[in-house]
Amino acid sequence: MAYTLTVNGSPHTVDTEPSTPLLWVLRDLLDLVGTKYGCGVAQCGACTVHLDGVPVRACVTPVSRVGGKAVTTIEGIAANPVGARVQEAWKSLDVPQCGYCQAGQIMSATALLAATPKPTDAQIDEAMDGNLCRCATYPRIRKAIKSASGQTEA
C-alpha cells in the first residue's frame, strides 16, 4: 500500500504494509538512520521521533497510523529552534558517551522544552522517563536540558 508521509518537512511516498513500523520506514525505505532500534517494544526510547511535535516510539507506531501528521526525526530536529538549542547544549556539555540512545533523548528533551520552556527537575524526570541510557549519562542529560532552557543546574 502506498503512503505519503511528510518527514522533516519533505513529502515521501513509500509502498509498504500498513503494519510496518514507522522505524523501519524511516531507516529502510527513507535511509534516515539516525533513529535507532533499541528494544522493539517501546521501552527504551532509542526510536523516539515526533508526530506533529509529540514524541512517539517509532518501533511500535505502524505507518498506517501516521496519517497526515508531520514526522520529525533527529535528522530534522535542528530546523526547530528548540531542537537546535537542545542539540547545541548536548554538544557543548559533551552529553553522549557511546551515543546510541542520544537521538531519542534529544527528541524527548526537545518535546519537553517545546511544551514546558523552564521545566523543573520533576518535569524533566517525567518527560525523560522511558529513555534509557546504558552509559548512565543522566546527570549530563539533565544539565543539557537545563542549559537549553536557559536555566542553570542547581
Side-chain angles (χ1 to χ4, degrees), residues 45 48 50 74 77-78 82-84 86-88 90-91 95-96 101-112 128 131 141:
T48 303
H50 292 179
I74 192 66
I77 199 65
V82 175
V86 169
Q87 283 186 321
E88 185 54 40
W90 244 250
K91 289 188 278 185
V95 173
C101 70
Q102 296 304 309
Q105 301 278 1
I106 288 169
M107 298 303 289
S108 291
T110 299
L112 165 64
M128 301 305 289
N131 284 88
I141 289 168

Side-chain angles (χ1 to χ4, degrees), residues 58-77:
C59 70
V60 296
T61 302
V63 69
S64 60
R65 285 208 187 147
V66 173
K69 296 178 179 144
V71 179
T72 305
T73 69
I74 192 66
E75 290 90 349
I77 199 65

